[in-house]
Amino acid sequence: MACRISELVLECRDPEALATFWCEVLDFVVLDREDDGSVEIGARDGFGGSQPTIILSRNENPEKSKPRLHIDVSATDREQDAELERLLTLGARRVQIGQTGQESWHVLADPEGNEFCLLRTRLNPV
């Protein structure tokens, strides 16, 4: 038997605000709230379901160094350009990390500056 990713943990200053952002981006729902202010979001089938959950863990001073892991997302119901506009409207912003402009993906940051990429590949919804 092998392991599978069940949760991703993201430290942030405002878990509720990031939960709202990422729930809109991923069509997730809030699954749990902890007394420490952490918020767990995930697919509607919940923890252990079709996708890993994301725990937004409160930290007043999250690390600012270059993360060794980032999230890639792919649109499920629209083309990349339309999804890019939707994400920017939700509060994402473009980030320049040395791209040439020839990449097939867009580098963005969530409202707290966590980088993620919007890929060109369109996936079937789960």
Side-chain angles (χ1 to χ4, degrees):
M1 183 183 289
C3 292
R4 78 176 230 205
I5 296 171
S6 60
E7 301 170 349
L8 302 171
V9 179
L10 181 61
E11 291 184 351
C12 58
R13 287 180 297 280
D14 189 345
E16 289 291 339
L18 274 194
T20 299
F21 175 81
W22 282 108
C23 281
E24 286 292 325
V25 169
L26 300 170
D27 191 30
F28 274 15
V29 295
V30 171
L31 299 173
D32 193 22
R33 287 182 170 87
E34 295 292 328
D35 292 338
D36 67 0
S38 297
V39 179
E40 184 171 13
I41 63 172
R44 295 174 196 289
D45 56 357
F47 179 81
S50 61
Q51 298 181 60
T53 64
I54 299 174
I55 297 176
L56 300 159
S57 177
R58 182 179 305 282
N59 182 335
E60 295 303 319
N61 296 302
E63 287 288 326
K64 296 289 187 198
S65 64
K66 175 93 171 122
R68 295 180 61 189
L69 179 70
H70 69 266
I71 297 171
D72 287 346
V73 298
S74 296
T76 59
D77 62 351
R78 66 197 80 203
E79 297 304 318
Q80 184 187 42
D81 289 342
E83 184 63 3
L84 175 61
E85 290 307 313
R86 186 180 83 88
L87 296 177
L88 293 171
T89 299
L90 291 174
R93 62 180 171 78
R94 296 175 188 265
V95 176
Q96 189 57 252
I97 59 168
Q99 304 93 299
T100 65
Q102 302 303 309
E103 292 82 8
S104 62
W105 61 88
H106 296 279
V107 182
L108 303 169
D110 71 16
E112 286 203 13
N114 300 298
E115 295 172 7
F116 68 100
C117 295
L118 171 62
L119 305 182
R120 179 180 354 180
T121 305
R122 188 169 160 184
L123 300 176
N124 291 325
V126 177

